[in-house]
């Protein structure tokens, strides 16, 4: 039901570039869809924020996170009575966001990571309408994500062996 409500909310979105759409009914960017996932952006983002947001959302698409999140949600629906599955789903969502953040900031210097953190902070305001929607990616656990971005250290060579 929440997926259908969200789709209705963005039905008047204007596609600006391929799978990137702008909508004036939303306050935070997110990814929605499965076979042709689209990135929905609020109208009026700055060019710097736009670059960081698109990099993050495209990382979700490259990693097929929208499918993993659907699989996690289906598992949650089947095992709704198990509190450990609820906890696992929460950690799955949080870890997906942090993994995409790490992928985006991997080659950034300190100033670029600060700019990315500010973009996260600006886009996280007033996202209460995404809490019940389990199938859209929105900004969750922003405080932990910003800490992770600012304290990111590139993995050593030995971790790739």
């Amino acid at each position: 039901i929440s997926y259908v409500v969200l789709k209705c909310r963005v039905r008047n979105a204007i596609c600006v570039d391929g799978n990137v759409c702008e909508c004036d009914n939303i306050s935070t960017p997110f990814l929605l869809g499965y076979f042709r996932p689209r990135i929905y952006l609020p109208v009026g983002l700055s060019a710097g924020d736009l670059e960081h947001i698109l990099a993050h959302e495209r990382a979700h698409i490259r990693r097929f996170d929208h499918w993993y999140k659907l699989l996690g949600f289906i598992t949650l629906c089947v095992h709704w009575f198990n509190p450990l599955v609820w906890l696992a789903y929460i950690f799955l969502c949080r870890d997906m966001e942090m993994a995409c953040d790490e992928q985006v900031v991997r080659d950034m210097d300190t100033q670029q990571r600060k700019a990315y953190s500010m973009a996260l902070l600006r886009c996280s305001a007033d996202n209460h309408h995404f809490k019940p929607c389990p199938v859209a990616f929105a900004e969750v656990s922003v405080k932990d994500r910003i800490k992770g971005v600012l304290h990111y250290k590139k993995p050593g060579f030995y971790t790739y062996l």
Side-chain angles (χ1 to χ4, degrees):
I1 292 172
S2 60
Y3 180 80
V4 172
V5 169
L6 193 54
K7 282 293 271 188
C8 289
R9 188 174 196 161
V10 297
R11 72 175 168 249
N12 295 329
I14 299 167
C15 287
V16 291
D17 182 35
N19 67 340
V20 178
C21 300
E22 285 188 337
C23 183
D24 55 356
N25 293 341
I26 59 173
S27 61
T28 188
F30 60 92
L31 177 67
L32 187 64
Y34 296 104
F35 296 106
R36 291 183 312 171
R38 293 185 186 271
I39 300 169
Y40 291 94
L41 304 170
V43 176
L45 290 173
S46 69
D49 287 353
L50 183 63
E51 177 185 342
H52 294 306
I53 291 165
L54 288 178
H56 176 85
E57 299 300 336
R58 287 180 176 144
H60 278 302
I61 293 171
R62 278 192 305 275
R63 294 169 36 88
F64 298 103
D65 284 345
H66 50 293
W67 285 104
Y68 290 119
K69 192 162 185 177
L70 177 64
L71 183 63
F73 185 68
I74 290 170
T75 304
L76 183 66
C77 289
V78 171
H79 298 280
W80 61 269
F81 52 86
N82 189 341
L84 293 178
V85 176
W86 283 90
L87 190 62
Y89 182 74
I90 290 167
F91 285 137
L92 170 76
C93 295
R94 189 191 68 173
D95 289 346
M96 280 183 194
E97 293 295 334
M98 293 180 123
C100 287
D101 289 338
E102 285 183 11
Q103 188 173 357
V104 170
V105 301
R106 181 176 296 146
D107 297 322
M108 290 183 175
D109 62 9
T110 306
Q111 284 303 102
Q112 290 172 321
R113 286 197 311 261
K114 286 181 182 178
Y116 181 78
S117 297
M118 288 304 296
L120 283 178
L121 191 59
R122 281 190 286 272
C123 291
S124 68
D126 191 31
N127 64 358
H128 63 277
H129 58 278
F130 288 105
K131 299 296 185 204
C133 188
V135 292
F137 286 95
E139 307 303 322
V140 294
S141 63
V142 176
K143 180 180 176 183
D144 293 334
R145 290 175 60 196
I146 289 174
K147 283 182 183 178
V149 166
L150 293 177
H151 296 101
Y152 176 76
K153 291 185 180 161
K154 199 170 195 173
F157 174 74
Y158 60 88
T159 59
Y160 295 110
L161 297 178

